[in-house]
Amino acid sequence: MRTLCSCGVRTVNILFWLASMTSVNVPSKKKSKKKADLNTNTASTTEKITPIILNTDENIQELLKSESSSFENENVRLNFLRHIANILTSKNQEKCSSDSNIFCCLELIMTEFLKASKSENSNENKAEKKLLNKCLLTFLQQKLAFGLYKRVLASVTDVISCLERPLQLSDFLFNSFKMGGSVSLLSLNGIFILMDKHNLNYPDFYKKLYSLLDPAIFHFKYRAKFFSNLNLFLSSKYLPAYMLAAFIKRLARISLYAPTHALVPTIPTIYNLINRQNACKVLINRTEGQTEYSSDPYLPDEVDPVKCCALESSLWELRALQSHYCPKVAVDSRKVNQLKKSQKDLSDILETTTDDLFANEIERGEKLKEVPVNQSCPSGILTKQDMKYSFWRVE
């Protein structure tokens, strides 16, 4: 095998060599001495290959994941962390390192570190956690590419678990939330964890969350994760009815602009929210007070959910969706009129696509004995009657 320091060594060869070095069997008779020699050998090995892996210009994420078992070795993790810390604090960081490769290593290290911390027979390594904490905080202070920035936010749960003082991440998450778009959606989970687990005081959280309910969310890559988190964020029994009603009404309103596949998780989310507060059931069946309005009292342009008058309105939007061309959407919209106490499970429908809906309709159609068709076979796209109207022009 070629030397590790040679310029032509491929990353994959280095990784496989690292894997072989960390999986050597230690004889039981000379266990302590051999184990010490093995740790020294492994440390020496990773000392040589770590700079090559971290400084390469290639995208080695898939290669690193294929050799993730190498990071089960504590010495390997420590060596990587030491090199990452040196690179991040170096003045020439931009010239000699790849942020993407560094974070990929940090992801693998965090995963194995959390596994080791949860193990019954393993004591938490304070030195490793301290070094990992330093690397994470220093890395988050760098100017990251937009795609990598979103990757960091997607892994924020693990990042929080690895920090000694998770509240140090609050400024990073607040700044991310102010950026808007998909970055705001991804930062929500981290902010909520800090509020729920670490007593972060953020009184405008639900106001900010309400502002994200825009038709554009149906087209974001992380739409499924957002709806999963939204269902979690609004699960508290202590939320007032007017606050919950504001989110229900806002979801119903933007549903009128949603693509068909996005309505599949949206309507059950509305179903769950109504079920959590009996006071919100007036939105579908108001028996007291004013029951008829000349216009909708809801204020869609109001940014404060407290002042949007949602509880005085009704869910006429769901009535409109009951006439939707997609049978599943129409059926789901009618189910809201027949509420049950149980909550709908969203896990299987969050990732629904248009292809899924089409496949379900094809499968349902195969079970039908009679399928409605035209009474007479059409001879073309346009009929003679269509040609009478001035807005048709055939060239």
Side-chain angles (χ1 to χ4, degrees), residues 170-185:
S170 56
D171 288 340
F172 173 78
L173 293 172
F174 290 158
N175 292 334
S176 301
F177 190 83
K178 294 176 183 177
M179 293 174 67
S182 58
V183 176
S184 294
L185 298 184

Side-chain angles (χ1 to χ4, degrees), residues 108-319:
L108 294 171
I109 291 171
M110 285 190 293
T111 301
E112 295 302 329
F113 173 75
L114 292 175
K115 286 181 182 178
S117 300
K118 294 177 181 178
S119 176
E120 295 180 359
N121 300 323
S122 174
N123 295 322
E124 185 177 338
N125 191 315
K126 295 182 179 179
E128 183 181 356
K129 183 169 186 177
K130 186 176 181 180
L131 194 54
L132 179 57
N133 185 86
K134 178 184 176 181
C135 289
L136 288 172
L137 292 177
T138 308
F139 182 80
L140 294 178
Q141 294 173 5
Q142 310 300 315
K143 187 176 182 180
L144 306 176
F146 186 67
L148 181 57
Y149 196 96
K150 292 197 291 185
R151 271 182 59 195
V152 173
L153 288 173
S155 305
V156 73
T157 304
D158 287 346
V159 174
I160 291 175
S161 301
C162 292
L163 292 179
E164 294 178 333
R165 291 184 293 170
L167 289 178
Q168 289 178 305
L169 204 61
S170 56
D171 288 340
F172 173 78
L173 293 172
F174 290 158
N175 292 334
S176 301
F177 190 83
K178 294 176 183 177
M179 293 174 67
S182 58
V183 176
S184 294
L185 298 184
L186 291 171
S187 64
L188 279 173
N189 192 38
I191 294 175
F192 184 78
I193 292 174
L194 292 182
M195 291 173 57
D196 186 43
K197 306 291 185 182
H198 304 282
N199 299 321
L200 175 68
N201 185 22
Y202 190 38
D204 290 335
F205 176 77
Y206 287 100
K207 184 177 178 180
K208 296 289 186 180
L209 179 62
Y210 181 78
S211 68
L212 291 177
L213 293 180
D214 184 86
I217 65 171
F218 296 120
H219 305 282
F220 286 150
K221 177 181 177 181
Y222 301 99
R223 169 178 56 85
K225 187 170 185 178
F226 172 74
F227 274 96
S228 177
N229 287 336
L230 182 66
N231 199 49
L232 173 65
F233 299 157
L234 300 176
S235 60
S236 174
K237 298 179 180 180
Y238 301 102
L239 280 177
Y242 63 80
M243 181 69 73
L244 210 56
F247 281 92
I248 293 170
K249 181 63 179 179
R250 185 65 177 170
L251 279 173
R253 179 60 59 90
I254 65 176
S255 295
L256 298 177
Y257 307 94
T260 304
H261 66 275
L263 289 171
V264 176
T266 304
I267 295 175
T269 300
I270 296 174
Y271 182 106
N272 289 344
L273 295 181
I274 295 175
N275 257 339
R276 288 171 188 168
Q277 280 276 8
N278 289 329
C280 292
K281 293 182 179 180
V282 297
L283 294 172
I284 57 174
N285 185 22
R286 190 180 298 275
T287 57
E288 299 179 0
Q290 187 175 354
T291 57
E292 295 183 4
Y293 296 89
S294 57
S295 61
D296 192 345
Y298 174 67
L299 305 175
D301 296 328
E302 176 58 56
V303 296
D304 190 346
V306 179
K307 302 177 181 178
C308 67
C309 304
L311 206 54
E312 301 171 13
S313 183
S314 65
L315 296 181
W316 59 266
E317 296 90 349
L318 290 184
R319 184 63 180 269

Side-chain angles (χ1 to χ4, degrees), residues 306-361:
V306 179
K307 302 177 181 178
C308 67
C309 304
L311 206 54
E312 301 171 13
S313 183
S314 65
L315 296 181
W316 59 266
E317 296 90 349
L318 290 184
R319 184 63 180 269
L321 290 175
Q322 290 176 9
S323 302
H324 199 277
Y325 77 89
C326 178
K328 179 169 179 55
V329 173
V331 170
D332 287 348
S333 300
R334 295 188 188 103
K335 287 181 180 178
V336 180
N337 295 330
Q338 303 170 351
L339 290 175
K340 298 180 180 180
K341 294 182 179 181
S342 60
Q343 295 280 302
K344 288 186 174 293
D345 184 15
L346 304 180
S347 58
D348 294 334
I349 58 177
L350 289 173
E351 300 283 354
T352 301
T353 63
T354 304
D355 291 340
D356 295 332
L357 290 176
F358 187 77
N360 291 337
E361 289 305 313

Side-chain angles (χ1 to χ4, degrees), residues 357-367:
L357 290 176
F358 187 77
N360 291 337
E361 289 305 313
I362 293 296
E363 184 179 354
R364 190 174 70 92
E366 292 176 350
K367 299 178 182 179

